[in-house]
């Protein structure tokens, strides 16, 4: 599923408005980080951990890292 499809699907789910706004943005960043091809976004423990570590190394606050992981989890 692509980020666009995820965003459309997310609107019908029971998430907070803030999550519906930021989850697609985080998923897009994750997709760029893993170099997703043709709308297919691979999700593995190793790739999510690496993404989270890269956010930490770039001094992204913990609450935003958690939101990023929750976005990938919702995907």
């Amino acid at each position: 599923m692509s980020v666009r499809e995820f965003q459309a699907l997310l609107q019908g789910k029971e998430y907070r408005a803030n999550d519906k706004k930021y989850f697609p943005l985080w998923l897009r960043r994750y997709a760029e980080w893993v170099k997703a091809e043709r709308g297919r976004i691979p999700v593995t423990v190793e790739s999510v951990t690496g993404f989270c570590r890269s956010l930490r190394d770039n001094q992204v606050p913990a609450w935003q890292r958690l939101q990023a992981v929750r976005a990938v989890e919702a995907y």
Side-chain angles (χ1 to χ4, degrees):
M1 156 175 33
S2 70
V3 174
R4 186 170 298 176
E5 292 168 328
F6 171 70
Q7 188 171 13
L9 185 64
L10 192 62
Q11 296 310 312
K13 300 288 183 177
E14 296 278 333
Y15 286 101
R16 297 178 305 194
N18 221 25
D19 290 339
K20 289 179 181 182
K21 178 180 178 181
Y22 288 103
F23 276 14
L25 300 174
W26 282 118
L27 188 63
R28 188 170 287 113
R29 281 184 67 179
Y30 172 75
E32 290 170 3
W33 191 83
V34 295
K35 297 173 179 53
E37 296 180 14
R38 294 183 228 149
R40 303 191 92 194
I41 304 170
V43 177
T44 65
V45 171
E46 294 81 16
S47 62
V48 175
T49 302
F51 177 63
C52 193
R53 285 183 180 149
S54 75
L55 295 175
R56 179 201 62 202
D57 294 347
N58 287 306
Q59 300 175 343
V60 173
W63 70 269
Q64 288 182 323
R65 294 193 309 264
L66 177 60
Q67 187 179 49
V69 171
R70 288 183 58 234
V72 176
E73 180 182 49
Y75 175 76

